[in-house]
Amino acid sequence: ETGVTQTPRHLVMGMTNKKSLKCEQHLGHNAMYWYKQSAKKPLELMFVYSLEERVENNSVPSRFSPECPNSSHLFLHLHTLQPEDSALYLCASSQLTGTSASDTQYFGPGTRLTVL
Amino acid sequence: AQKVTQAQTEISVVEKEDVTLDCVYETRDTTYYLFWYKQPPSGELVFLIRRNSFDEQNEISGRYSWNFQKSTSSFNFTITASQVVDSAVYFCALSERYNNNDMRFGAGTRLTVKP
């Protein structure tokens, strides 16, 4: 496996279900990100983990719960979602060097989520 | 806060035509970074280029070229002799020096190249 992988690629769930999205990066990076891409809206940053610690949470509802057990894996746990949460969820990783340089983010293929 | 505008929602061209995708940005930071990504129908965002604010030299990579002009806050992307495989949504993005976790994306331009 190379780059950033995400599973599942497609997910359909009811509003009362609990599911998890998984992301794995094979690039040796130390930062990982979750983005939400809805139809006709720009990509929205949801969560950022740097060195396995959450550094940013852009006012995301608590029904989305991230988990980063190590620098290579990132999960997004979902529960009691709403139909408006249907979107493409993208994971990305980058190597933060500790300087002020901005680091390129590399993306996975995304999970297409449909909430019924 | 930084902002990226891609005014062209959709562009359709015929194969072998040249096409330019526009990107205009806003930032108060003097040090910032600009990116272009390609999103084919498969969904993955593919990194194309990164440019820092101190490097205004234009760049060419095969059929792709980028024109960075700080005077107009633009970072336009040109595909020469377009091909059907270039059909995708293209995103321009900006991150600031001291806020590099928060990369702001434009709304994207959907390019369709017809045979």
Side-chain angles (χ1 to χ4, degrees):
Chain A
E1 291 280 12
T2 58
V4 181
T5 58
Q6 291 185 241
T7 55
R9 293 295 308 277
H10 300 272
L11 178 63
V12 179
M13 59 187 290
M15 290 191 285
T16 57
N17 292 156
K18 291 184 179 180
K19 297 287 184 183
S20 295
L21 309 185
K22 178 183 176 182
C23 175
E24 184 172 359
Q25 59 95 1
H26 309 269
L27 301 170
H29 290 165
N30 58 13
M32 297 186 77
Y33 310 76
W34 278 118
Y35 286 86
K36 176 183 178 182
Q37 186 179 25
S38 305
K40 300 182 180 179
K41 291 180 70 175
L43 271 78
E44 302 170 66
L45 178 65
M46 299 174 71
F47 300 102
V48 180
Y49 275 82
S50 173
L51 299 173
E52 302 155 41
E53 291 192 10
R54 187 191 305 180
V55 297
E56 190 155 337
N57 171 359
N58 282 345
S59 302
V60 178
S62 60
R63 57 185 183 270
F64 295 92
S65 175
E67 177 189 1
C68 187
N70 55 60
S71 60
S72 298
H73 294 85
L74 183 66
F75 295 89
L76 187 63
H77 303 299
L78 317 171
H79 64 97
T80 60
L81 294 191
Q82 305 298 313
E84 59 264 29
D85 296 322
S86 298
L88 180 68
Y89 289 85
L90 291 159
C91 174
S93 71
S94 71
Q95 181 62 24
L96 297 180
T97 59
T99 67
S100 57
S102 184
D103 307 286
T104 301
Q105 294 181 24
Y106 294 89
F107 286 79
T111 295
R112 175 72 62 185
L113 174 67
T114 302
V115 181
L116 301 177
Chain B
Q2 69 267 47
K3 181 180 176 182
V4 176
T5 301
Q6 295 179 255
Q8 305 151 307
T9 306
E10 295 189 31
I11 299 176
S12 180
V13 300
V14 177
E15 208 169 17
K16 299 184 182 177
E17 286 184 9
D18 299 347
V19 58
T20 296
L21 309 181
D22 297 333
C23 174
V24 175
Y25 62 91
E26 295 177 27
T27 177
R28 295 182 180 178
D29 209 339
T30 56
T31 303
Y32 51 90
Y33 304 85
L34 296 162
F35 302 81
W36 275 96
Y37 285 87
K38 173 183 179 180
Q39 187 177 38
S42 60
E44 177 179 354
L45 266 75
V46 178
F47 167 70
L48 296 178
I49 189 172
R50 167 185 141 180
R51 173 69 70 216
N52 74 53
S53 54
F54 297 112
D55 183 1
E56 285 194 75
Q57 284 192 355
N58 293 330
E59 179 153 343
I60 297 174
S61 176
R63 296 184 296 105
Y64 294 171
S65 62
W66 290 269
N67 183 356
F68 177 28
Q69 292 194 350
K70 289 178 75 171
S71 60
T72 56
S73 298
S74 64
F75 186 44
N76 296 337
F77 172 30
T78 298
I79 302 175
T80 303
S82 59
Q83 300 176 1
V84 173
V85 293
D86 296 327
S87 297
V89 181
Y90 291 86
F91 291 92
C92 181
L94 164 72
S95 65
E96 296 171 332
R97 178 178 186 177
Y98 294 110
N99 191 23
N100 57 48
N101 284 330
D102 190 6
M103 186 159 64
R104 294 297 175 93
F105 286 80
T109 297
R110 180 177 298 278
L111 173 65
T112 302
V113 181
K114 299 178 180 178

